[in-house]
Amino acid sequence: MFDAHAHKGDECSATALVCSSSEREYEALLDCPFRALGTIPEGGTDPDMAVLEKAASTGFHIGEIGLDRRYDGIPRQEEIFRTALEIARRYDRLAVIHSVRMNQRVLEIIREMGIHRFLMHGYTGSAEQASAFIREGGIISLSPRAERTRHFKALITLPFVTETDMRTGKEEEAALLAWNERLSALTGIDIAERTERMMKEALG
Ligand SMILES: [Zn+2]
């Protein structure tokens, strides 16, 4: 089983893409086999983009990065997001995208910049928009929160991967197992197997 988006718990996990919300986690993630360094607009402080660049050059993917309607300064958020996407592209890394009520804008930016290697983490938008991201080459990742949206039934007809967005460890493993079993029962597809296959390809 593979968790498409988790955060670091007490230890690294070899069965999760360990992501970060701040570039300050660089040192902490160095030992994780599948790691991504990012910065999301929750702190309000200006991230050090040079650290993101250093990370990309030393085997990190880039994320989570993105846009969040709950926070001010959308133009500044966009500037940081674009710079991070540019770094992901320059080093040919997967961009792990966090979007809160900004999916349309994210899609426009992805298209405008010609980004094709990305994952929409914790996706809860419509199936139509999900299909648009997939057409651009993106991966849709569903956490258990997706089941509480009105789009859930339509979303699970699309190819997607699964994530917990939890800290790696026993609880995260149990949550992922339950989530995969739930989705496999609903779709008749081995979701754990598919996620692992899609993620190995995306991270390779
Ligand atoms: Zn996260």
Side-chain angles (χ1 to χ4, degrees):
M1 246 185 317
F2 194 87
D3 192 337
H5 180 107
H7 291 266
K8 195 183 173 194
D10 292 335
E11 285 172 32
C12 276
S13 165
T15 55
L17 174 56
V18 179
C19 299
S20 52
S21 315
S22 162
E23 78 284 4
R24 291 186 297 272
E25 290 181 61
Y26 176 82
E27 296 286 338
L29 300 193
L30 275 173
D31 295 336
C32 301
F34 303 102
R35 58 191 187 275
L37 197 74
T39 173
I40 51 171
E42 57 184 14
T45 52
D46 261 5
D48 182 353
M49 302 307 277
V51 180
L52 234 61
E53 174 130 23
K54 178 171 77 171
S57 73
T58 58
F60 281 76
H61 294 280
I62 295 298
E64 47 196 294
I65 54 173
L67 302 176
D68 194 324
R69 182 72 87 189
R70 297 169 300 175
Y71 300 99
D72 292 339
I74 296 292
R76 179 66 184 137
Q77 288 189 28
E78 265 199 41
E79 219 174 291
I80 293 164
F81 181 44
R82 284 173 184 271
T83 303
L85 286 173
E86 195 52 57
I87 292 169
R89 173 167 50 199
R90 197 170 330 128
Y91 291 90
D92 194 19
R93 304 301 185 195
L94 180 71
V96 179
I97 299 177
H98 159 107
S99 165
V100 177
R101 301 200 303 276
M102 292 297 283
N103 282 351
Q104 187 52 40
R105 189 68 195 127
V106 167
L107 185 58
E108 286 164 11
I109 291 171
I110 290 291
R111 280 183 175 149
E112 192 191 300
M113 292 182 67
I115 302 292
H116 304 295
R117 193 173 180 196
F118 65 99
L119 177 147
M120 296 301 295
H121 128 71
Y123 189 83
T124 54
S126 71
E128 290 70 29
Q129 213 149 35
S131 299
F133 282 117
I134 291 167
R135 278 195 298 275
E136 299 301 319
I139 295 173
I140 297 297
S141 179
L142 304 182
S143 80
R145 287 182 51 227
E147 190 158 12
R148 299 200 292 269
T149 74
R150 64 198 159 90
H151 305 296
F152 183 63
K153 272 209 175 92
L155 281 175
I156 63 172
T157 66
L158 301 172
F160 60 84
V161 297
T162 48
E163 64 168 74
T164 63
D165 202 10
M166 290 167 67
R167 297 206 170 270
T168 55
K170 290 268 175 288
E171 258 182 69
E172 170 248 358
E173 283 170 20
L176 186 63
L177 178 65
W179 181 223
N180 281 335
E181 282 180 349
R182 168 94 184 115
L183 289 166
S184 294
L186 288 170
T187 60
I189 296 166
D190 185 340
I191 297 295
E193 186 274 329
R194 185 177 71 186
T195 294
E196 195 163 333
R197 182 160 39 82
M198 284 175 69
M199 289 308 293
K200 286 283 148 70
E201 198 177 308
L203 299 172

